[in-house]
Amino acid sequence: MQVDISTDEQLLHYIVSEDPAEMEALFQAARETRARQFGRKVYFRGLIEFTNYCKNNCYYCGIRRGNQNVARYRLTPEEILDCCHRGDTLGYKTFVLQGGEDPWFTDARMVEIISAIRQEFPDHAITLSMGERSRESYQALYDAGANRYLLRHETADAVHYSHLHPQEMSLSARMQCLYALKEIGYQVGAGFMVGSPFQTPETLLEDLRFLRRLRPQMVGIGPFLPQGDTPFGQEPAGSLELTLRMVALCRLLLPKALLPATTALGTLSPLGRERALQAGANVVMPNLSPLGVRAQYALYDNKICTGDEAAECRACMERRILSQGFVPDLSRGDYPGIAQ
Ligand code: SAM
Ligand code: FES
């Protein structure tokens, strides 16, 4: 069965279709596209959750400012560097520094941290995921040696965005950040949750239309999962099938994109990440954070991988990749065609 997604009507059709044969054709097409670009390779990114302080109050997020039940932590520059060393020993060539929007990490401090990592690991990729900052700030961090930046757009529909975030946050500010990051020269990651409250097939279509315009190098897609202490704590989780479908559609729209099989998918379902690999994903992000802080980076309830040593996480990912007929690949895994 031919999969045609050249018009918005066709995209919307695949978002809402209830025909199992159509879905199988979609996943098959996504697998084939992924294989043409990447063969059987799955890339590794070592994830360092370096702070759970956040000045924002996103309604869905477990580490939002208003959540008084979070024991807050910040890794020291030395601890961050230790994580990088552990990651390097495990063979990872990409470090992802992710955290809440924590004003303690000023440009001066971040430049120092990034420069230190860059000096010790000249050939590794440094990915940042620390929210909205000024263009000047993004430029300074890039000049210090960061290569990639993950900033999910969360939803490309402005009204939906306003239902997920307090008034001081806006979709236009988020989009400005994404375009600035791209102009500076970062490999950029956008993305969204599937099943967030107030989401509709039309807002999901808008997400895909936005991705088609932005053409990011990476797209993080995971299910919304409730966290009990947030305003959305009693809302239902997103659906596994719809999340996989969005991964597959994203693969077809952006054939060269780096798409993670997200931890949230693994939390929603024991084989969620494996299913994502079969739907076109080609990246895994094993955790490198110190064991003592893992549970405190609780974006949602029941998050997996909070009790495993970094080496166990790596072995676990490797097994999962091999079980699906894919091949773990420890190279940097840049966007195809990008000069390092
Ligand atoms: N502060 C940075 C930012 O906002 O981009 C990075 C950290 S933020 C916690 C990373 C991502 O976690 C968000 O972009 C969001 O999509 C995801 N996330 C937050 N709460 C979630 C939830 N309850 N369920 C699923 N994903 C969630
Ligand atoms: Fe800031 Fe979630 S509200 S990271």
Side-chain angles (χ1 to χ4, degrees), residues 202-279:
E202 286 72 26
T203 65
L204 284 171
L205 172 63
E206 208 43 51
D207 287 317
L208 296 177
R209 284 161 47 98
F210 172 62
L211 292 174
R212 209 166 43 191
R213 285 197 301 277
L214 177 69
R215 304 206 71 76
Q217 284 82 18
M218 305 166 286
V219 186
I221 300 174
F224 160 75
L225 298 171
Q227 201 286 339
D229 299 316
T230 64
F232 292 159
Q234 304 310 315
E235 299 290 332
S239 115
L240 173 65
E241 294 303 323
L242 186 55
T243 306
L244 296 170
R245 200 181 282 204
M246 297 311 293
V247 171
L249 287 169
C250 187
R251 168 59 65 210
L252 295 180
L253 280 180
L254 302 170
K256 294 182 181 180
L258 293 145
L259 306 180
T262 54
T263 307
L265 260 173
T267 300
L268 182 65
S269 163
L271 292 179
R273 286 169 296 181
E274 286 85 337
R275 300 266 322 264
L277 294 178
Q278 298 293 357

Side-chain angles (χ1 to χ4, degrees), residues 152-169:
R152 289 186 177 182
H153 62 281
E154 313 296 1
T155 171
D157 179 285
V159 174
H160 185 209
Y161 194 95
S162 74
H163 285 133
L164 302 180
H165 302 95
Q167 231 182 353
E168 63 270 18
M169 294 177 72

Side-chain angles (χ1 to χ4, degrees), residues 49-204:
E49 296 156 337
F50 70 102
T51 174
N52 71 353
Y53 282 87
C54 191
K55 68 177 166 61
N56 291 336
N57 229 354
C58 309
Y59 300 141
Y60 44 84
C61 183
I63 61 170
R64 64 200 298 269
R65 175 183 82 225
N67 186 357
Q68 310 282 337
N69 295 329
V70 180
R72 303 283 170 175
Y73 74 89
R74 223 173 243 132
L75 300 188
T76 63
E78 293 71 32
E79 286 172 322
I80 296 174
L81 214 55
D82 277 353
C83 291
C84 293
H85 278 288
R86 204 169 319 125
D88 180 56
T89 308
L90 292 171
Y92 303 155
K93 298 287 185 305
T94 296
F95 307 128
V96 182
L97 272 57
Q98 188 184 87
E101 285 192 26
D102 179 356
W104 190 88
F105 287 97
T106 57
D107 290 350
R109 287 188 171 121
M110 281 313 296
V111 163
E112 204 171 313
I113 291 166
I114 294 164
S115 306
I117 300 174
R118 180 49 68 230
Q119 194 172 354
E120 294 211 29
F121 303 101
D123 300 327
H124 289 51
I126 302 175
T127 305
L128 302 177
S129 175
M130 49 192 308
E132 296 182 11
R133 299 173 80 97
S134 69
R135 190 193 178 98
E136 294 70 35
S137 171
Y138 288 146
Q139 183 73 57
L141 308 186
Y142 183 81
D143 293 342
N147 319 86
R148 307 178 186 154
Y149 205 103
L150 307 178
L151 181 67
R152 289 186 177 182
H153 62 281
E154 313 296 1
T155 171
D157 179 285
V159 174
H160 185 209
Y161 194 95
S162 74
H163 285 133
L164 302 180
H165 302 95
Q167 231 182 353
E168 63 270 18
M169 294 177 72
S170 73
L171 178 60
S172 61
R174 182 67 49 131
M175 288 190 171
Q176 265 179 31
C177 286
L178 284 164
Y179 282 106
L181 287 161
K182 232 184 154 200
E183 280 164 24
I184 290 169
Y186 283 96
Q187 291 174 56
V188 170
F192 55 96
M193 293 173 288
V194 175
S196 60
F198 307 104
Q199 188 173 68
T200 64
E202 286 72 26
T203 65
L204 284 171

